[in-house]
Amino acid sequence: MTKSPRRQDLPAIPPLIHQALLNPLLQEEELLTLCDAARQLGFGGVCVSLTHLEVVRRRLGGQGPVKLIATVAFPFGALPAELKQAQAEWAAAHGAEALEVTPDWSALVNGRANSFAEELAAIAALDLPMTVVLDVNQLNEAQLALAAEAAMDAGAASLQAGNGFGAAVSADQIRELRQLTRGRCAIKAAGGIRELEQALDLVKAGAIALGTGHGPALVKALRQPR
């Protein structure tokens, strides 16, 4: 298959996909099928709740090209810091290779930026790559800038634009995050990524990972003749 000029300018898409396995209604057979698809299609990772972490670790086997990413305090981050820390430590002890952490938005919007950052720094000290989930649909410009700066100072390896709630993540939001990060950390797009052209727009804007529940469908569309 000949790539379109647009696709030739972009990195390979499958390794950028982080297949989300976060639907609490997923049946175990579907969960395992999606794990197998992630390996077969060459995805960069699977993102799981703590409930499914051990099952997915066993299915993936030892560490390989598909990174096992565990969510902490997903989706709203509304947990005491010690419980969030306990979740992160449990995930690390049960095979997680990276953490996707929803921070304490209440602390941020109520002027406690130090508390917001200290909670993240304690999790970053576990020495697993940490993605911090930023709710770009609800934070205003000043809050987003403060959150990004605090998360990077706390040791975030990546900032995630979107938590899957509300409007789909946009290329403009990725570009805004890219300006805020100034190359200090990576950017992951998540939320409503269903169409290939949308995914390509997000990558072109600067996303180096795509969190989506529709990874196999994106690859199928990618393989269609152009």
Side-chain angles (χ1 to χ4, degrees):
M1 179 184 72
T2 301
K3 288 186 178 181
S4 68
R6 181 184 185 207
R7 295 184 189 182
Q8 288 176 341
D9 294 336
L10 297 174
I13 296 301
L16 306 186
I17 293 175
H18 291 174
Q19 175 66 39
L21 305 174
L22 301 174
N23 183 346
L25 301 181
L26 269 179
Q27 294 186 352
E28 186 166 318
E29 182 178 352
E30 185 178 4
L31 179 75
L32 298 179
T33 297
L34 287 169
C35 287
D36 294 342
R39 287 189 299 184
Q40 293 162 3
L41 298 174
F43 291 170
V46 292
C47 189
V48 304
S49 65
L50 299 186
T51 299
H52 293 142
L53 181 63
E54 292 177 297
V55 171
V56 173
R57 177 74 282 165
R58 288 194 297 271
R59 190 67 168 193
L60 292 177
Q63 293 186 6
V66 182
K67 184 176 295 184
L68 179 54
I69 306 162
T71 60
V72 173
F74 179 81
F76 301 123
L79 285 176
E82 57 268 27
L83 294 184
K84 218 176 274 191
Q85 185 72 25
Q87 284 192 0
E89 291 174 0
W90 189 92
H94 289 80
E97 297 169 75
L99 302 173
E100 194 170 282
V101 182
T102 307
D104 185 354
W105 296 119
S106 179
L108 183 85
V109 301
N110 285 289
R112 301 191 301 276
N114 285 342
S115 174
F116 176 92
E118 287 166 3
E119 175 185 89
L120 292 174
I123 294 174
L126 295 174
D127 206 26
L128 289 178
M130 178 178 70
T131 295
V132 176
V133 180
L134 302 183
D135 189 347
V136 294
N137 287 323
Q138 294 202 78
L139 296 177
N140 63 37
E141 186 176 333
Q143 290 168 341
L144 183 61
L146 179 59
E149 195 69 24
M152 289 187 292
D153 287 347
S158 179
L159 300 183
Q160 179 171 310
N163 62 359
F165 291 80
V169 62
S170 71
D172 284 342
Q173 290 169 333
I174 297 299
R175 282 188 282 269
E176 182 179 7
L177 270 186
R178 189 169 67 176
Q179 291 179 342
L180 290 174
T181 59
R182 303 181 303 279
R184 289 176 59 192
C185 73
I187 299 170
K188 176 178 176 177
I193 305 174
R194 297 172 178 267
E195 304 295 334
L196 178 60
E197 293 304 314
Q198 175 192 15
L200 295 174
D201 285 341
L202 295 168
V203 173
K204 185 177 180 181
I208 59 87
L210 302 167
T212 176
H214 305 277
L218 293 178
V219 173
K220 181 178 179 181
L222 186 68
R223 291 176 175 176
Q224 294 295 319
R226 297 290 292 176

